[in-house]
Amino acid sequence: MLNKELILSHLQEHPWGSFLQVFDTVESTNSLARALAAEGVPSGTVILADGQTGGRGRLGRSFDSQKGKGLYFSLILRPELPPDRLLHVTPMVAVAACDAIEKASGLRPGVKWINDLILRERKLAGILTESSVNFETGFVDYLVIGIGINCSHEPEDFPPELNAISLHMAGAEISREQLAAELIRCLWEMAEELVSGKEAWLRRYAENCLTVGRRVKILLNGQETSAFATGIDPDGGLVVRYDDHSEGVISFGEVSVRGIDGYI
Ligand code: BTN
């Protein structure tokens, strides 16, 4: 079981420490965070669970959430952001999560556009950002930033098709409590700059993005296209060059990357 007191001792009087909620097993920390956000809990509330029975990923996928083996983390934020300016949130979170993982383990993952953290060409962590818009104000009411990190899994804990890795498999024995505290600190720094400071974060995202400079397959509305990823645009979209030399920006959908997703 995750030790809340230990997390708080790593946090040393952090402004978000008093909002921390730690659970044994929940269906999904993101679902719980959304319910709590709708009830009005403050910005900076962090929900952690030792295990999830229905961990959710992007594009309706599930997220493998074995009890005691991973960090299952959701943060509620209430930024003053219009909904059309949400695309850069997940890239900024990805950079903050890479920073936190590096601080806790000494290993720095890269990012597969837009929300997967990759170590040794395998998936180490995933990010699921969800939002609710207040149609009266035209602003975001709340954001739920969900992060799942594989910590102590053995290779046999993952079905091979997941192409997953844990920090333990990569040689790092970490404390989940310290990792949680580093995540809270790094996400706090990110949240301070969420509305006005995205440029520097997106520069760092581009530097950490393993997708840039590779051939990618893009799956959009059931249609598959092949392209070359050339960069990240000012909102966090993936800039690609198609085979007919035209350029485009991918803002959502699925992008698979040669090598990382095991396609040749
Ligand atoms: C993905 O791989 O597409 C994103 C995975 C996000 C998983 C985390 S675990 C904590 C939080 N609760 C969830 O149900 N999902 C996120």
Side-chain angles (χ1 to χ4, degrees), residues 26-31 47 52 54-59 61-65 71-74 115-116 123 125-130 144-149:
V26 299
E27 187 186 341
S28 152
T29 55
N30 261 37
S31 303
I47 311 294
Q52 299 183 117
R56 296 187 288 108
R58 223 174 131 248
L59 305 170
R61 300 206 178 96
S62 60
F63 185 79
D64 186 276
S65 307
L71 192 73
Y72 313 114
F73 176 108
S74 297
N115 68 321
D116 283 344
K123 178 160 169 169
I127 297 164
L128 176 66
T129 306
E130 300 182 288
V144 168
I145 292 166
I147 304 174
I149 304 173

Side-chain angles (χ1 to χ4, degrees), residues 135-208:
F135 288 100
E136 278 173 23
T137 62
F139 279 87
V140 167
D141 185 17
Y142 61 80
L143 283 179
V144 168
I145 292 166
I147 304 174
I149 304 173
N150 301 328
C151 296
S152 60
H153 302 68
E154 300 289 347
E156 56 273 20
D157 289 327
F158 297 120
E161 65 274 14
L162 276 188
N163 198 26
I165 192 168
S166 66
L167 289 167
H168 164 71
M169 285 161 65
E173 305 308 331
I174 55 110
S175 141
R176 286 185 303 162
E177 284 82 1
Q178 188 203 342
L179 179 58
E182 299 294 3
L183 255 186
I184 289 172
R185 265 197 286 272
C186 293
L187 287 167
W188 186 82
E189 279 175 30
M190 181 227 63
E192 291 284 286
E193 297 181 6
L194 191 61
V195 178
S196 58
K198 67 175 181 177
E199 288 76 16
W201 285 82
L202 286 179
R203 257 198 310 278
R204 291 190 65 214
Y205 182 77
E207 285 162 16
N208 284 267

Side-chain angles (χ1 to χ4, degrees), residues 107-123:
L107 298 173
R108 186 166 187 93
V111 189
K112 189 193 112 178
W113 190 90
I114 187 168
N115 68 321
D116 283 344
L117 304 193
I118 304 290
L119 201 59
R120 302 186 185 167
E121 308 269 301
R122 288 165 175 259
K123 178 160 169 169

